[in-house]
Amino acid sequence: MSRHPPLEVSRSRLFFRLLGWRLRHYADATLKLLLRRWQSVLFALLVVSPAATPLAAQIDAVGTPVRKIVEGGSPAYALTAWLTLSLLAIAWAAVQADALRGGAPWRYLRTLPGLSRFETGLDLTLLLIADLPLLLPFAAYGITLLGPARSGGLEHGLLALALGTQWPIVQQLVLRGSWAALLVAASALIAMLALCVDGAREFAFVLLTGGPIAAFRLRRRLTGVMKTGSWRIGSRIGQHLHPVVNLAAMDALALMQWSQLPARVALLAYAGILGWFGTGWEAVGFQPQVAVGLLLAGFVPLIFQVAGLALTLRAERAPMRPLLASLGIGTAATFVADLLVLVAAFCLLAFLPVAKLYPLAGSYAFLILPLGSTAVAVTLALYSTIDATRFWPKLVTAAAFWLAAWRVVMFH
């Protein structure tokens, strides 16, 4: 009898050993992220905590978006809810992209013979664990299906399960740089429309299963295209341009390269949520003054996140410091270039949420853009002179922006 275990047992043991390493790396990196963002996490928990709501009502409310999508109804609601939740899922993965990919340890392990074949399975398993907070609406809907008043439980449960698996698949393909993620996203959107049409529900299930299968068959062919494709900003850099213009073009190129693109999706998703709140606050039940105050407060994280991109630009520019110094380009030029790019980024991201305030404040609402740009400039100056983790200077900047914006909107 052979002393060696069967091949299937060895592969299974190796898979779970690799999964344990990936989970420990993810937990370590994510815990550090939560510790660095403890103020924001605590504030979010206090805001969304429904302490006075019965547990059954909480479960039903959490599962409502999934219920309305699965059971059909308004196509506009289904598409809006699915796009919002999908952007949130992509943003959730983008802010912890390196930890989810496995970081430097996995980049080394995948070069060893035979280990790269475990990558897809490890990624999806890790993403299912990391996405547990995002999958709570599906779990809540599943609990409501167990009630005696629900009909079509098996069909609806299978559709909800198929929907819930779309997010980890899209996240995995995005994190690994494959355009096949767009195929999964497009098939899911078409399935949303099919769920709202009588007699097309079976077609929706085919889309939700066939889209991921086709994407995984094509992912290797499409990954190379995505990674080699680039924005041709570098061609606009030349000797005849001012150094600040060249530095600004290099900053824009650094922010739009593929390795940075998933993290930028998080900003787009957050700006989209702000824009949605600008139109949906009345349906939620907020009073105008409360809604305006919350919307203005929502600009503060956007300001800090955009200004924080300066740290990314600084790291990207680090290898070029000796060359820039030899050309006589000092810190003032790099600061101005960063400021131009980041202020432009803030104005683009904040334009839609600001436009939602036009019915309340008229054209005065657009004064929020220069106010926010000023806050970005102040925060950028703070990042260049003090530790970026200092809390009180940023708190003063946030309070000053909020008070100025509140006066502009409510007392114009």
Side-chain angles (χ1 to χ4, degrees):
M1 181 180 294
S2 175
R3 297 181 180 180
H4 298 284
L7 180 60
E8 292 78 13
V9 176
S10 300
R11 292 186 62 179
S12 174
R13 186 177 302 170
L14 179 58
F15 177 85
F16 285 107
R17 177 67 62 85
L18 293 171
L19 179 62
W21 291 347
R22 290 280 299 270
L23 284 173
R24 283 195 293 270
H25 174 77
Y26 172 73
D28 181 63
T30 305
L31 181 61
K32 291 179 180 179
L33 176 65
L34 291 177
L35 290 176
R36 290 196 299 267
R37 299 289 186 265
W38 68 269
Q39 302 101 337
S40 301
V41 173
L42 181 61
F43 176 75
L45 290 176
L46 291 175
V47 169
V48 303
S49 177
T53 307
L55 179 60
Q58 293 182 33
I59 294 175
D60 186 67
V62 172
T64 296
V66 178
R67 175 175 58 81
K68 290 188 175 181
I69 292 174
V70 169
E71 298 181 6
S74 170
Y77 180 91
L79 290 176
T80 303
W82 182 253
L83 283 174
T84 302
L85 294 173
S86 298
L87 286 175
L88 180 62
I90 295 175
W92 173 258
V95 296
Q96 43 188 342
D98 189 62
L100 289 171
R101 292 190 188 102
W106 178 251
R107 287 195 293 272
Y108 165 73
L109 287 175
R110 70 192 303 269
T111 63
L112 300 179
L115 293 188
S116 61
R117 69 179 184 271
F118 293 102
E119 183 172 74
T120 300
L122 289 171
D123 285 349
L124 292 176
T125 305
L126 181 61
L127 283 166
L128 282 172
I129 297 173
D131 286 347
L132 286 177
L134 301 178
L135 297 175
L136 283 177
F138 295 91
Y141 178 65
I143 294 174
T144 60
L145 287 178
L146 300 177
R150 295 289 184 182
S151 60
L154 179 60
E155 177 192 357
H156 294 161
L158 290 176
L159 282 172
L161 180 63
L163 283 173
T165 58
Q166 304 298 303
W167 290 345
I169 293 172
V170 171
Q171 290 169 330
Q172 197 272 342
L173 293 171
V174 169
L175 290 175
R176 296 301 172 186
S178 176
W179 283 108
L182 296 179
L183 179 59
V184 181
S187 63
L189 285 178
I190 299 174
M192 295 303 103
L193 295 175
L195 288 172
C196 299
V197 178
D198 294 335
R201 302 184 67 83
E202 294 80 4
F203 182 61
F205 189 79
V206 171
L207 285 170
L208 292 174
T209 54
I213 293 174
F216 279 119
R217 294 291 297 270
L218 297 173
R219 69 185 187 279
R220 292 183 179 179
R221 189 176 304 174
L222 296 175
T223 299
V225 177
M226 175 175 281
K227 289 186 176 180
T228 56
S230 62
W231 300 85
R232 300 299 181 182
I233 299 178
S235 62
R236 300 181 181 275
I237 301 175
Q239 297 180 355
H240 63 285
L241 298 176
H242 194 277
V244 171
V245 178
N246 285 332
L247 288 171
M250 292 164 60
D251 286 349
L253 178 62
L255 293 179
M256 288 190 291
Q257 61 183 332
W258 172 245
S259 61
Q260 296 293 332
L261 196 57
R264 305 295 83 81
V265 174
L267 280 175
L268 290 172
Y270 183 76
I273 292 172
L274 281 182
W276 170 84
F277 183 77
T279 55
W281 60 267
E282 191 171 4
V284 175
F286 286 110
Q287 295 296 322
Q289 290 187 342
V290 176
V292 170
L294 291 175
L295 184 59
L296 294 178
F299 284 108
V300 174
L302 186 63
I303 291 171
F304 289 154
Q305 290 298 321
V306 170
L309 295 177
L311 304 178
T312 301
L313 296 176
R314 190 181 305 171
E316 292 284 339
R317 201 165 42 236
M320 299 178 58
R321 288 176 184 172
L323 175 62
L324 294 176
S326 66
L327 296 175
I329 300 175
T331 57
T334 58
F335 178 84
V336 173
D338 293 350
L339 181 62
L340 290 174
V341 172
L342 297 182
V343 165
F346 171 78
C347 291
L348 289 174
L349 292 170
F351 183 83
L352 178 61
V354 167
K356 302 300 181 180
L357 292 171
Y358 181 81
L360 292 176
S363 58
Y364 286 91
F366 291 96
L367 291 177
I368 295 176
L369 294 177
L371 289 174
S373 300
T374 302
V376 169
V378 172
T379 308
L380 186 60
L382 292 174
Y383 284 169
S384 63
T385 56
I386 64 173
D387 185 4
T389 61
R390 295 285 295 273
F391 178 66
W392 291 109
K394 293 192 290 186
L395 178 62
V396 172
T397 303
F401 163 78
W402 189 89
L403 290 173
W406 175 265
R407 182 166 183 83
V408 165
V409 174
M410 302 304 296
F411 301 100
H412 60 275

